[in-house]
Amino acid sequence: MPQPRLRRYFRHGTLPQLAVFEASARLRSFTRAADELHLAQPTVSAQIRKLTDTIGTPLFEQVGRNVRLTDAGRRVHEHCLEVLAVFTRLDDSLQSFRQAVSGELRLAIAGAATGFVTQAIASYGDTHPDVSIVVRIENRTRLLERLAAREDDLYLFADPPEAGDIVRQPVLANPLVVVASPGHRWARARGLKLVDLAREPLVVREPGSGTRARVLALFAQAGLAPTVRIELASDDAVRQAIGHGAGLGIVPRQSSAPGSAALPLAELDVEGFPLERYWHFAYSARARLTPAAGAFLQHVREATRTEAPAAVEANPADRRTDLYATRAGVRVAPPRVSAMRVM
């Protein structure tokens, strides 16, 4: 039987309350904590109230739209992190008792994400040798079609669909930047405007590309029509053309595939750039993640924890996943455009 003075902590399930408390303290918002934990905001508020009643003193105070810890809240937060660290060590110590994750992981990604995904599956494969991985590289239009048909486990988008039945997890910042060859007359210019770009020859992606759609929408919103000189089917091809002086381009900052002979480019100083954008993994809320997919998503979250925004856009559905990760191997298959076994 717990000591009498500890009984208060066992009345309402204190561990879930601590998880909600930690997220609220870190994000300084009950709303963002609810998004990250896939809970309704009233549930988060109720958990915080119960924890406050248990502790016996207020833990947060309201500051504008955000909340911040009181002095007592900071003390509780210190010990909360210690408690969660103990459970993390416990979970680590139990890994050898759990069934290894195995089977096949099917990923469908945008071509510009090849470098990021290659690194992710390589590190994932080091610790998950019993999982084979098939990666398909498609443009945005095909990714949306495959997502609608639920042909794969996870889909990587630069601009994910916002349908209510899609779960979206931001994992890595990848802003759009304006680039030119280092010898371009604007390579050292400052304070350029979008209207300046509209008069220059532009190298863009092919129809169906998410980057192309974002670029053309940007000009359209400003009432401008860009001068499209060349359309190419991959970001590497766009960067190569720009490097050889074919024109300007708006490309993801992290877009070179591993092993590509990337030419040096100059990132131009243009008003409104870089455009904030994040890679998101997406999947249907109606589809339960396989253990291999859940473990991979957790692996990427941990690897990019400092790169992604805190909030997770999600749909109210059963999104619990088996994140018990042990070991798995990588199989890559031939794609439409890639050298790895990508499809």
Coordinates of all heavy atoms in Angstrom, one line a residue, residues 264-323:
P264 N 26.9 24.6 -57.5 CA 26.7 25.7 -56.5 C 25.7 26.7 -57.0 O 25.6 27.0 -58.2 CB 28.1 26.3 -56.4 CG 28.8 26.0 -57.7 CD 28.3 24.6 -58.1
L265 N 24.8 27.1 -56.1 CA 23.8 28.0 -56.4 C 23.8 29.2 -55.4 O 24.3 29.0 -54.3 CB 22.4 27.4 -56.3 CG 22.1 26.3 -57.3 CD1 20.7 25.7 -57.1 CD2 22.2 26.8 -58.8
A266 N 23.4 30.3 -55.8 CA 23.3 31.5 -54.9 C 21.8 31.7 -54.5 O 20.9 31.7 -55.3 CB 23.7 32.8 -55.7
E267 N 21.6 31.7 -53.2 CA 20.3 32.0 -52.6 C 20.0 33.5 -52.6 O 20.8 34.2 -52.0 CB 20.1 31.4 -51.2 CG 18.7 31.6 -50.7 CD 18.6 30.8 -49.3 OE1 19.2 29.8 -49.1 OE2 17.8 31.4 -48.5
L268 N 19.0 33.9 -53.3 CA 18.8 35.4 -53.5 C 18.0 36.0 -52.3 O 17.2 35.3 -51.7 CB 18.0 35.6 -54.8 CG 18.6 35.1 -56.1 CD1 17.9 35.6 -57.3 CD2 20.1 35.5 -56.2
D269 N 18.3 37.3 -52.1 CA 17.6 38.0 -51.0 C 16.3 38.6 -51.6 O 16.4 39.7 -52.3 CB 18.5 39.1 -50.5 CG 17.8 39.9 -49.4 OD1 17.0 39.3 -48.7 OD2 18.1 41.1 -49.3
V270 N 15.2 37.9 -51.5 CA 13.9 38.4 -52.1 C 12.9 38.6 -50.9 O 12.8 37.7 -50.0 CB 13.4 37.3 -53.1 CG1 12.1 37.8 -53.7 CG2 14.4 37.1 -54.2
E271 N 12.2 39.7 -51.0 CA 11.2 40.0 -50.0 C 10.2 38.8 -49.8 O 9.6 38.4 -50.8 CB 10.5 41.3 -50.3 CG 9.5 41.7 -49.2 CD 8.8 43.0 -49.6 OE1 8.9 43.5 -50.8 OE2 8.0 43.5 -48.8
G272 N 9.9 38.4 -48.6 CA 8.9 37.3 -48.4 C 9.6 35.9 -48.4 O 8.9 34.9 -48.1
F273 N 10.8 35.8 -48.7 CA 11.5 34.5 -48.7 C 12.6 34.5 -47.6 O 13.1 35.5 -47.2 CB 12.2 34.3 -50.1 CG 11.2 34.0 -51.2 CD1 10.6 35.0 -51.9 CD2 10.9 32.7 -51.5 CE1 9.7 34.7 -52.9 CE2 10.0 32.4 -52.5 CZ 9.4 33.4 -53.2
P274 N 12.9 33.3 -47.1 CA 12.3 32.0 -47.5 C 10.9 31.8 -47.1 O 10.5 32.3 -46.1 CB 13.3 30.9 -46.8 CG 13.8 31.7 -45.7 CD 13.9 33.1 -46.1
L275 N 10.1 31.0 -47.9 CA 8.8 30.7 -47.6 C 8.8 29.5 -46.6 O 9.3 28.4 -46.9 CB 8.0 30.3 -48.8 CG 7.5 31.4 -49.8 CD1 6.8 30.8 -51.0 CD2 6.6 32.4 -49.0
E276 N 8.2 29.7 -45.4 CA 8.1 28.6 -44.5 C 7.4 27.4 -45.0 O 6.3 27.5 -45.5 CB 7.5 29.0 -43.1 CG 7.5 28.0 -42.1 CD 7.0 28.5 -40.8 OE1 7.7 29.0 -39.9 OE2 5.8 28.3 -40.6
R277 N 7.9 26.2 -44.9 CA 7.3 25.0 -45.3 C 7.9 23.8 -44.5 O 9.1 23.8 -44.2 CB 7.4 24.8 -46.8 CG 6.5 23.8 -47.4 CD 6.5 23.8 -48.9 NE 7.7 23.3 -49.5 CZ 7.8 22.8 -50.7 NH1 6.8 22.6 -51.5 NH2 9.0 22.3 -51.1
Y278 N 7.1 22.8 -44.2 CA 7.5 21.6 -43.5 C 7.2 20.4 -44.3 O 6.1 20.3 -44.9 CB 6.9 21.5 -42.1 CG 7.5 22.5 -41.1 CD1 7.0 23.8 -41.0 CD2 8.5 22.2 -40.3 CE1 7.5 24.7 -40.1 CE2 9.1 23.0 -39.4 CZ 8.6 24.3 -39.3 OH 9.1 25.2 -38.4
W279 N 8.1 19.4 -44.3 CA 7.7 18.1 -44.7 C 6.8 17.5 -43.7 O 7.0 17.6 -42.5 CB 9.0 17.2 -44.9 CG 9.8 17.5 -46.1 CD1 11.1 18.0 -46.0 CD2 9.5 17.4 -47.4 NE1 11.6 18.2 -47.3 CE2 10.6 17.8 -48.2 CE3 8.3 16.9 -48.1 CZ2 10.6 17.8 -49.6 CZ3 8.3 16.9 -49.5 CH2 9.4 17.3 -50.2
H280 N 5.7 16.9 -44.2 CA 4.8 16.2 -43.3 C 4.6 14.7 -43.7 O 4.5 14.4 -44.9 CB 3.4 16.8 -43.4 CG 3.2 18.2 -42.8 ND1 3.8 19.3 -43.3 CD2 2.5 18.6 -41.7 CE1 3.5 20.3 -42.6 NE2 2.7 19.9 -41.6
F281 N 4.6 13.8 -42.8 CA 4.1 12.5 -43.1 C 2.6 12.5 -42.9 O 2.1 13.1 -41.9 CB 4.7 11.4 -42.1 CG 6.0 10.9 -42.6 CD1 7.2 11.1 -42.0 CD2 6.0 10.1 -43.8 CE1 8.4 10.6 -42.5 CE2 7.2 9.6 -44.3 CZ 8.4 9.9 -43.6
A282 N 1.9 11.9 -43.8 CA 0.4 11.8 -43.7 C -0.1 10.4 -43.9 O 0.6 9.6 -44.5 CB -0.2 12.7 -44.8
Y283 N -1.2 10.1 -43.4 CA -1.9 8.8 -43.6 C -3.4 9.0 -43.3 O -3.8 9.9 -42.6 CB -1.2 7.7 -42.8 CG -1.3 7.8 -41.3 CD1 -2.4 7.3 -40.5 CD2 -0.3 8.5 -40.6 CE1 -2.4 7.4 -39.2 CE2 -0.4 8.7 -39.2 CZ -1.4 8.1 -38.5 OH -1.5 8.3 -37.1
S284 N -4.1 8.0 -43.8 CA -5.6 8.1 -43.5 C -5.9 7.8 -42.1 O -5.4 6.8 -41.5 CB -6.3 7.1 -44.5 OG -7.7 7.0 -44.1
A285 N -6.8 8.6 -41.5 CA -7.2 8.3 -40.1 C -8.1 7.0 -40.0 O -8.2 6.5 -39.0 CB -8.1 9.5 -39.6
R286 N -8.5 6.6 -41.2 CA -9.3 5.3 -41.2 C -8.4 4.1 -41.2 O -8.9 2.9 -41.1 CB -10.3 5.3 -42.4 CG -11.3 6.4 -42.3 CD -12.4 6.2 -43.4 NE -11.9 6.3 -44.7 CZ -11.8 7.4 -45.4 NH1 -12.2 8.5 -44.8 NH2 -11.3 7.5 -46.6
A287 N -7.1 4.3 -41.5 CA -6.2 3.2 -41.6 C -5.3 3.1 -40.3 O -4.7 4.1 -40.0 CB -5.3 3.3 -42.8
R288 N -5.3 2.0 -39.7 CA -4.4 1.8 -38.5 C -3.0 1.5 -39.0 O -2.8 0.7 -39.8 CB -4.9 0.6 -37.6 CG -4.2 0.5 -36.3 CD -4.8 -0.7 -35.5 NE -4.1 -0.8 -34.2 CZ -4.5 -0.1 -33.2 NH1 -5.5 0.7 -33.2 NH2 -3.9 -0.3 -32.0
L289 N -2.0 2.3 -38.4 CA -0.7 2.1 -38.8 C -0.2 0.7 -38.4 O -0.5 0.2 -37.3 CB 0.2 3.1 -38.1 CG 0.2 4.6 -38.6 CD1 1.2 5.4 -37.9 CD2 0.4 4.6 -40.1
T290 N 0.6 0.1 -39.3 CA 1.3 -1.2 -39.0 C 2.4 -0.9 -38.0 O 2.8 0.2 -37.8 CB 1.9 -1.8 -40.2 OG1 3.0 -0.9 -40.7 CG2 0.9 -2.0 -41.3
P291 N 2.8 -1.9 -37.2 CA 3.9 -1.7 -36.3 C 5.1 -1.2 -36.9 O 5.8 -0.3 -36.4 CB 4.2 -3.1 -35.7 CG 2.8 -3.8 -35.8 CD 2.2 -3.3 -37.1
A292 N 5.5 -1.6 -38.2 CA 6.6 -1.1 -38.9 C 6.5 0.4 -39.2 O 7.4 1.2 -39.0 CB 6.9 -1.9 -40.2
A293 N 5.3 0.8 -39.6 CA 5.1 2.2 -40.0 C 5.1 3.0 -38.7 O 5.6 4.1 -38.7 CB 3.7 2.3 -40.7
G294 N 4.4 2.5 -37.6 CA 4.4 3.3 -36.4 C 5.8 3.5 -35.8 O 6.2 4.6 -35.4
A295 N 6.7 2.4 -35.9 CA 8.0 2.5 -35.4 C 8.8 3.5 -36.3 O 9.7 4.2 -35.8 CB 8.7 1.1 -35.4
F296 N 8.6 3.5 -37.6 CA 9.4 4.4 -38.5 C 9.0 5.8 -38.2 O 9.8 6.7 -38.1 CB 9.1 4.1 -39.9 CG 9.8 4.9 -40.9 CD1 11.2 4.8 -41.1 CD2 9.1 5.9 -41.6 CE1 11.9 5.7 -42.0 CE2 9.8 6.7 -42.5 CZ 11.2 6.6 -42.7
L297 N 7.7 6.1 -38.0 CA 7.2 7.4 -37.8 C 7.8 7.9 -36.4 O 8.3 9.1 -36.3 CB 5.7 7.5 -37.7 CG 5.0 8.9 -37.6 CD1 5.5 9.8 -38.7 CD2 3.5 8.7 -37.6
Q298 N 7.8 7.1 -35.4 CA 8.4 7.5 -34.1 C 9.9 7.7 -34.3 O 10.5 8.7 -33.7 CB 8.2 6.4 -33.1 CG 8.8 6.6 -31.7 CD 8.1 7.7 -31.0 OE1 7.0 8.2 -31.5 NE2 8.6 8.2 -29.9
H299 N 10.6 6.9 -35.1 CA 12.0 7.1 -35.4 C 12.3 8.4 -36.0 O 13.2 9.2 -35.6 CB 12.5 6.0 -36.3 CG 13.9 6.1 -36.8 ND1 15.0 5.7 -36.0 CD2 14.4 6.6 -38.0 CE1 16.1 6.0 -36.7 NE2 15.8 6.5 -37.9
V300 N 11.5 8.8 -37.0 CA 11.7 10.1 -37.7 C 11.4 11.3 -36.7 O 12.1 12.3 -36.7 CB 10.8 10.2 -38.9 CG1 10.9 11.6 -39.5 CG2 11.3 9.2 -40.0
R301 N 10.3 11.1 -35.9 CA 10.0 12.2 -34.9 C 11.1 12.5 -34.0 O 11.5 13.6 -33.7 CB 8.8 11.8 -34.1 CG 7.4 11.9 -34.8 CD 6.4 11.3 -34.0 NE 5.0 11.4 -34.5 CZ 4.0 10.6 -34.2 NH1 4.2 9.6 -33.3 NH2 2.8 10.7 -34.8
E302 N 11.8 11.4 -33.5 CA 12.9 11.5 -32.6 C 14.1 12.1 -33.2 O 14.8 13.0 -32.7 CB 13.2 10.2 -31.9 CG 12.1 9.7 -31.0 CD 12.4 8.3 -30.5 OE1 13.4 7.7 -30.9 OE2 11.6 7.8 -29.7
A303 N 14.3 11.7 -34.5 CA 15.5 12.2 -35.2 C 15.4 13.7 -35.6 O 16.4 14.4 -35.7 CB 15.7 11.4 -36.5
T304 N 14.1 14.2 -35.7 CA 13.9 15.6 -36.2 C 13.2 16.4 -35.1 O 12.6 17.4 -35.5 CB 13.1 15.6 -37.5 OG1 11.8 15.0 -37.2 CG2 13.7 14.8 -38.6
R305 N 13.3 16.0 -33.9 CA 12.5 16.6 -32.8 C 12.7 18.1 -32.8 O 11.8 18.9 -32.5 CB 12.9 16.0 -31.5 CG 11.9 16.4 -30.4 CD 12.3 15.7 -29.1 NE 12.3 14.3 -29.1 CZ 11.2 13.6 -29.0 NH1 10.0 14.2 -28.8 NH2 11.2 12.3 -29.1
T306 N 14.0 18.6 -33.0 CA 14.2 20.1 -32.9 C 13.9 20.8 -34.2 O 14.0 22.0 -34.3 CB 15.7 20.3 -32.6 OG1 16.5 19.7 -33.6 CG2 16.1 19.7 -31.2
E307 N 13.6 20.0 -35.3 CA 13.4 20.7 -36.6 C 11.9 21.0 -36.9 O 11.6 21.8 -37.7 CB 13.9 19.8 -37.7 CG 15.4 19.5 -37.6 CD 16.3 20.7 -38.0 OE1 15.7 21.6 -38.6 OE2 17.4 20.7 -37.5
A308 N 11.0 20.2 -36.2 CA 9.6 20.3 -36.6 C 8.8 21.2 -35.6 O 9.2 21.3 -34.5 CB 9.0 18.9 -36.7
P309 N 7.7 21.8 -36.0 CA 6.9 22.5 -35.1 C 6.3 21.5 -34.1 O 6.1 20.3 -34.3 CB 5.8 23.1 -36.0 CG 5.8 22.2 -37.2 CD 7.2 21.7 -37.4
A310 N 5.9 22.1 -32.9 CA 5.5 21.2 -31.8 C 4.1 20.6 -32.1 O 3.9 19.4 -31.8 CB 5.4 22.0 -30.5
A311 N 3.2 21.3 -32.7 CA 1.9 20.8 -32.9 C 1.8 19.8 -34.0 O 2.5 19.8 -35.0 CB 0.9 22.0 -33.2
V312 N 0.9 18.8 -33.7 CA 0.6 17.8 -34.7 C -0.8 17.9 -35.2 O -1.7 17.9 -34.4 CB 0.8 16.4 -34.1 CG1 0.4 15.3 -35.2 CG2 2.2 16.2 -33.7
E313 N -1.0 18.2 -36.5 CA -2.4 18.3 -37.0 C -2.9 16.9 -37.1 O -2.3 16.0 -37.6 CB -2.4 18.9 -38.4 CG -2.0 20.4 -38.3 CD -2.1 21.0 -39.7 OE1 -3.2 21.2 -40.2 OE2 -1.0 21.2 -40.3
A314 N -4.1 16.7 -36.5 CA -4.6 15.3 -36.6 C -6.1 15.3 -36.6 O -6.8 16.3 -36.3 CB -4.1 14.5 -35.4
N315 N -6.7 14.2 -36.9 CA -8.1 14.0 -36.9 C -8.6 13.2 -35.8 O -7.9 12.2 -35.4 CB -8.4 13.3 -38.3 CG -9.9 13.1 -38.4 OD1 -10.7 14.1 -38.5 ND2 -10.3 11.9 -38.6
P316 N -9.7 13.5 -35.1 CA -10.1 12.6 -34.0 C -10.4 11.2 -34.5 O -11.4 11.0 -35.2 CB -11.3 13.3 -33.4 CG -11.7 14.4 -34.3 CD -10.6 14.6 -35.3
A317 N -9.6 10.3 -34.2 CA -9.8 8.9 -34.6 C -8.8 8.1 -33.8 O -8.0 8.6 -33.1 CB -9.4 8.7 -36.1
D318 N -8.9 6.8 -33.9 CA -8.0 5.9 -33.1 C -6.6 5.9 -33.8 O -6.4 5.2 -34.8 CB -8.6 4.5 -33.0 CG -7.7 3.6 -32.2 OD1 -6.7 4.1 -31.6 OD2 -8.0 2.4 -32.1
R319 N -5.7 6.7 -33.3 CA -4.4 6.8 -33.9 C -3.3 6.1 -33.1 O -2.2 6.4 -33.3 CB -4.0 8.3 -34.1 CG -5.0 9.0 -34.9 CD -4.5 10.4 -35.3 NE -5.5 11.1 -35.9 CZ -6.4 11.9 -35.3 NH1 -6.3 12.0 -34.0 NH2 -7.3 12.5 -36.0
R320 N -3.7 5.3 -32.2 CA -2.7 4.6 -31.4 C -1.9 3.7 -32.4 O -2.4 3.1 -33.2 CB -3.3 3.8 -30.3 CG -3.9 4.6 -29.2 CD -4.7 3.8 -28.3 NE -5.8 3.1 -29.0 CZ -6.4 2.0 -28.5 NH1 -6.2 1.6 -27.3 NH2 -7.4 1.5 -29.2
T321 N -0.6 3.7 -32.2 CA 0.3 2.9 -33.0 C 1.2 2.1 -32.2 O 1.5 2.5 -31.1 CB 1.1 3.7 -34.0 OG1 1.9 4.6 -33.2 CG2 0.2 4.5 -34.9
D322 N 1.6 0.9 -32.7 CA 2.5 0.1 -32.0 C 3.9 0.6 -32.2 O 4.5 0.4 -33.3 CB 2.4 -1.4 -32.5 CG 3.3 -2.3 -31.7 OD1 4.1 -1.8 -30.9 OD2 3.3 -3.5 -31.9
L323 N 4.5 1.4 -31.3 CA 5.7 2.0 -31.5 C 6.9 1.2 -30.9 O 8.0 1.7 -30.6 CB 5.7 3.4 -30.9 CG 4.7 4.3 -31.5 CD1 4.7 5.7 -30.9 CD2 4.8 4.5 -33.0

